[in-house]
């Protein structure tokens, strides 16, 4: 009986730890009704780090290359189930919203560049992904914004290069539209679909 109680206690502690690790700490205005999404008020947004590195195709990419656009920085890996589910949604966001001033920018956490490139090609992703097998790019983010040990996560950068929102877990176009549209409206761009 004692072993059983210890096992139950260990499971309860593990669940509490994992729940705490996967729940983001609110920063600023958490107006989203989704507990895994945080939004920040305009005057309280932290400056986004300039994620940079070599893309899966071997080119150099910098987040700052997209200043003036709304950028969705998505951390993913080919072995991540939710990443596979959200890939078509991110592809749709890139295709549908690019002409409106939105850019998707990936951070591939695969150990093997070949695995990340195969995933990118299989899903016909039309946006750059920096190969970041160590996950160091995510460590540049403000502490508590996301848990970089859990994939996927998406950071929304406003046109001024500041973090407007963060989402732990997979995204959908519909969910991201609620964040993207107001950012585009604030810059005078039309948020509607093309």
């Amino acid at each position: 009986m004692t072993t059983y109680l210890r096992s139950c206690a260990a499971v309860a502690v593990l669940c509490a730890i994992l729940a705490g690790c996967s729940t983001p700490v609110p920063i600023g205005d958490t107006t989203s009704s989704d507990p895994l999404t945080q939004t920040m008020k305009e005057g309280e947004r932290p400056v986004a780090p300039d994620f940079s590195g070599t893309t899966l195709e071997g080119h150099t990419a910098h987040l700052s290359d997209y200043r003036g656009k709304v950028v969705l920085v998505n951390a993913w890996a080919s072995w991540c189930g939710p990443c596979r589910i959200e890939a078509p949604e991110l592809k749709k966001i890139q295709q549908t919203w690019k002409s409106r001033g939105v850019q998707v920018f990936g951070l591939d956490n695969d150990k093997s560049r070949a695995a990340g490139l195969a995933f990118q090609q299989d899903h016909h992703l039309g946006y750059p992904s920096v190969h970041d097998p160590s996950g160091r790019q995510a460590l540049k983010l403000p502490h508590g914004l996301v848990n970089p040990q859990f994939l996927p996560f998406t950071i929304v950068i406003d046109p001024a290069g500041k973090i407007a929102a963060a989402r732990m877990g997979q995204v959908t176009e519909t969910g991201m539209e609620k964040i993207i549209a107001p950012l585009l409206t604030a810059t005078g761009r039309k948020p509607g679909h093309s």
Side-chain angles (χ1 to χ4, degrees), residues 10 13 21 37 40 42 74 83 87-88 104 106 108 126 131 134-135 143 156 163 166 194:
V13 168
C21 291
T37 301
M40 278 59 89
E42 187 169 347
N74 177 259
C83 301
V104 178
D108 168 37
H131 186 233
S134 65
H143 180 74
V156 181
I163 299 171
S194 53

Side-chain angles (χ1 to χ4, degrees), residues 58-93:
H59 306 291
T60 302
H62 300 269
L63 178 60
S64 59
D65 293 342
Y66 302 104
R67 184 65 52 92
K69 296 182 180 226
V70 173
V71 183
L72 277 67
V73 178
N74 177 259
W76 61 274
S78 64
W79 47 261
C80 163
C83 301
R84 292 181 166 279
I85 293 169
E86 77 174 355
E89 294 290 316
L90 290 163
K91 176 183 175 183
K92 190 185 327 177
I93 291 168

Side-chain angles (χ1 to χ4, degrees), residues 66-147:
Y66 302 104
R67 184 65 52 92
K69 296 182 180 226
V70 173
V71 183
L72 277 67
V73 178
N74 177 259
W76 61 274
S78 64
W79 47 261
C80 163
C83 301
R84 292 181 166 279
I85 293 169
E86 77 174 355
E89 294 290 316
L90 290 163
K91 176 183 175 183
K92 190 185 327 177
I93 291 168
Q94 178 66 22
Q95 291 174 338
T96 304
W97 293 85
K98 183 176 183 176
S99 66
R100 303 273 192 253
V102 176
Q103 175 67 45
V104 178
F105 186 92
L107 297 176
D108 168 37
N109 284 231
D110 280 296
K111 298 293 180 208
S112 159
R113 182 182 301 273
L117 185 59
F119 178 89
Q120 183 172 285
Q121 291 171 342
D122 289 348
H123 288 87
H124 307 285
L125 303 179
Y127 54 85
S129 286
V130 169
H131 186 233
D132 185 30
S134 65
R136 288 188 180 148
Q137 296 293 324
L139 296 178
K140 298 175 182 178
L141 289 165
H143 180 74
L145 184 65
V146 295
N147 184 336

